[in-house]
Amino acid sequence: MSKVKLTVIPVPKTPDLAVSLTIPFACSSEYISMLRSNYPCGAELHHHLEESCIAFALFRNIAIEMSKGPRALMGHKISGVECNAQDSHFIISWCTQGTGSALRKTAGTALKYLKPHSLFSSYTNNIRMLGGKPDRKVFNYVANKLIEAIESGVHILALGKISPNVDSATILSAISPKLDVGSKVGEVAAPEKRPPFESYGF
């Protein structure tokens, strides 16, 4: 059974194709918002700090790869690469040209860089920015959790300008082999238990 699900929904008269990659991985929308804006808020540390830092590191890695090559993914006009946390899921989204080729290239790149254990440096920067202290064993713990979440199944949704004749099964068969999250590691330590965020309107 494939670990990747692809849904393509053509919507006429839209300017481009909106694509999202959803991972069943719980993190904090508050921390994701802080990391997106590069602006930490408050001194107290909260629940899902470490999960949010590795999820955002994953997003940044994919966003960088989409923007730099090869030849900005063959000129497929990628824009609006964003991320969010919602209902115990982490979502990475972007816009691209409404062609099967653009969908295949961009979704394949996103899957290719779902490699949690390669993210320690970026994770460390995120932890420090938010006021925490990086710990390799804690990183390994949340990286293993993220691997489990990805392997349980990710969903790619493409919505917008695309031909109804695009063969989604062919695209899925082409991109699924790109997913290789690597192996889990054994030296782990669970993150410190912390209180959840109250509602601050993020």
Side-chain angles (χ1 to χ4, degrees), residues 150-161:
I150 294 168
E151 289 186 332
S152 73
V154 298
H155 184 198
I156 297 172
L157 171 64
L159 177 70
K161 180 183 179 181

Side-chain angles (χ1 to χ4, degrees), residues 8-161:
V8 180
I9 303 177
V11 180
K13 299 182 180 179
T14 50
D16 51 22
L17 186 68
V19 188
S20 64
L21 169 67
T22 300
I23 304 168
F25 184 71
C27 47
S28 163
S29 60
E30 291 87 353
Y31 275 136
I32 294 298
S33 178
M34 292 178 199
L35 290 164
R36 277 203 315 258
S37 63
N38 200 33
Y39 187 76
C41 178
E44 184 180 2
L45 299 180
H46 294 277
H47 188 48
H48 284 324
L49 168 68
E50 289 82 4
E51 289 87 349
S52 303
C53 287
I54 195 171
F56 193 77
L58 187 74
F59 155 73
R60 286 291 299 150
N61 196 36
I62 289 171
I64 289 168
E65 292 300 331
M66 282 192 175
S67 67
K68 76 178 186 183
R71 295 185 182 177
L73 297 185
M74 302 300 288
H76 284 309
K77 297 182 180 178
I78 301 158
S79 64
V81 187
E82 299 287 349
C83 69
N84 203 358
Q86 185 176 5
D87 297 330
S88 297
H89 288 75
F90 184 64
I91 305 164
I92 300 171
S93 59
W94 62 93
C95 291
T96 189
Q97 287 179 316
T99 66
S101 174
L103 174 58
R104 177 175 51 82
K105 287 281 188 180
T106 58
T109 296
L111 292 175
K112 181 179 178 181
Y113 290 97
L114 294 181
K115 297 185 181 298
H117 279 291
S118 69
L119 302 170
F120 183 66
S121 178
S122 181
Y123 165 89
T124 295
N125 292 337
N126 293 339
I127 285 281
R128 286 176 174 161
M129 193 193 81
L130 294 175
K133 294 181 179 180
D135 181 300
R136 186 74 195 216
K137 290 184 180 180
V138 174
F139 167 79
N140 288 343
Y141 179 92
V142 293
N144 285 352
K145 279 182 62 178
L146 184 51
I147 285 174
E148 290 175 0
I150 294 168
E151 289 186 332
S152 73
V154 298
H155 184 198
I156 297 172
L157 171 64
L159 177 70
K161 180 183 179 181

Side-chain angles (χ1 to χ4, degrees), residues 155-202:
H155 184 198
I156 297 172
L157 171 64
L159 177 70
K161 180 183 179 181
I162 193 166
S163 169
N165 297 321
V166 164
D167 188 346
S168 58
T170 298
I171 294 173
L172 180 60
S173 67
I175 65 176
S176 291
K178 303 283 187 182
L179 181 62
D180 180 9
V181 294
S183 302
K184 294 193 288 185
V185 300
E187 274 197 288
V188 301
E192 177 185 343
K193 291 186 178 180
R194 304 187 184 95
F197 272 98
E198 296 179 10
S199 179
Y200 294 126
F202 285 90

